[in-house]
Amino acid sequence: MATGDPMSGLETVILGALTILLLFWLQPGLKAAIARGKQAPSDWQSVILPLGLVVMFVIFLIAMV
């Protein structure tokens, strides 16, 4: 193990294997969610309005510094 290395090689391999297993386990639900999302009507205003408010708030905070 290298000095300052937070994870050993075995831990990295186990974490990678668990990540791949999780992706395979969630795959059917993700496919169904994507299919439902393609059929749903798009409503961009519900995304743009909160995003714009957050951007304006961040600009306000930066201006206050």
Side-chain angles (χ1 to χ4, degrees), residues 2-55:
T3 332
D5 189 16
M7 280 201 296
S8 71
L10 181 60
E11 289 173 339
T12 305
V13 170
I14 292 172
L15 184 62
L18 287 174
T19 303
I20 291 171
L21 287 173
L22 182 67
L23 287 175
F24 279 121
W25 184 51
L26 295 175
Q27 184 179 10
L30 290 174
K31 280 187 176 181
I34 290 171
R36 281 192 311 269
K38 287 181 180 176
Q39 295 172 354
S42 62
D43 186 17
W44 283 103
Q45 186 178 2
S46 63
V47 173
I48 292 174
L49 181 63
L51 188 60
L53 291 174
V54 169
V55 168

